[in-house]
Amino acid sequence: MFAQMLLTKLAEELLKLLVEWLAPKVLRSVPHLAPPDCPRCGGYGVARWAPRWATTVFVLSVLTFAWGFTTTVLGLPVVVLVAAVGVRTAWHGDLVAALPGLLAPLGLVGSGAVTVAGAAGMAWYHSFPPRLCRRCHGRWPRRDRAEYLRMVRSVVFPCRCGQRLRAPGAPAGVRVRCPRCGTERLAPTVG
């Protein structure tokens, strides 16, 4: 009994150390299509130059997304079970009693729509320019939202040294010099 508890605790600690060591490496190796919010530390999730009501919309969008996602994930097994009972009841010939079970998958459509609405609200808030990085405490001056959106839509691609480069305006064939290693790279075509 003691040996089993000891082995379980040892396995948990080893797994925890592995995840703490491996997770940052995996997250850094995943290429992001969007540029990081903070150009200084590469962090995401900075405060934005958005009106107060937009920040309120963002918080409500996060809560809406979390509620819809949780409802979808937790409701999926229930819907599958109810639908299976409805199919079994319909198989035995009682279609009126089977109707709620057969219509149960439509409940996932509602929670999926709530999830998408929350994600759309969060994406809208992230279309405002960054103002303050909570990680490195970097600050940026107020910028026009349209100018920021033009900059964000430019092509972002990695250099050989790992630095992310941005090609202005997204035309193919533009040469961009890497600030870290100094080599010139050709912007890739988008398509």
Side-chain angles (χ1 to χ4, degrees):
M1 181 71 171
F2 175 73
Q4 183 181 5
M5 287 176 34
L6 183 65
L7 285 174
T8 304
K9 189 67 173 167
L10 182 64
E12 286 175 359
E13 290 300 318
L14 285 174
L15 187 61
K16 180 178 154 187
L17 288 173
L18 179 68
V19 167
E20 287 175 355
W21 174 77
L22 189 62
K25 294 179 185 313
V26 169
L27 289 175
R28 275 193 299 258
S29 69
V30 174
H32 293 281
L33 293 178
D37 291 335
C38 179
R40 295 178 184 153
C41 69
Y44 290 87
V46 299
R48 307 240 166 216
W49 284 113
R52 288 218 186 271
W53 61 269
T55 307
T56 305
V57 168
F58 173 69
V59 170
L60 292 175
S61 298
V62 169
L63 294 174
T64 303
F65 178 81
W67 178 71
F69 185 76
T70 305
T71 305
T72 302
V73 169
L74 295 178
L76 187 62
V78 174
V79 167
V80 168
L81 182 65
V82 170
V85 169
V87 167
R88 183 172 183 266
T89 307
W91 184 263
H92 291 310
D94 192 5
L95 289 175
V96 174
L99 195 59
L102 295 175
L103 295 177
L106 293 177
L108 289 179
V109 173
S111 59
V114 169
T115 305
V116 169
M122 290 188 297
W124 175 77
Y125 175 76
H126 280 85
S127 69
F128 287 94
R131 176 175 56 92
L132 165 71
C133 178
R134 293 183 180 99
R135 194 162 116 188
C136 71
H137 303 292
R139 295 183 178 274
W140 297 275
R142 183 179 291 274
R143 192 185 311 168
D144 184 38
R145 183 170 175 240
E147 172 197 344
Y148 174 72
L149 289 175
R150 277 193 304 275
M151 183 198 71
V152 169
R153 289 187 183 117
S154 60
V155 178
V156 176
F157 59 98
C159 182
R160 288 188 193 102
C161 66
Q163 176 74 30
R164 288 189 196 139
L165 304 175
R166 181 190 318 273
V174 171
R175 298 185 84 59
V176 179
R177 183 178 298 276
C178 177
R180 185 185 291 173
C181 65
T183 60
E184 279 193 0
R185 297 283 316 264
L186 196 64
T189 58
V190 179

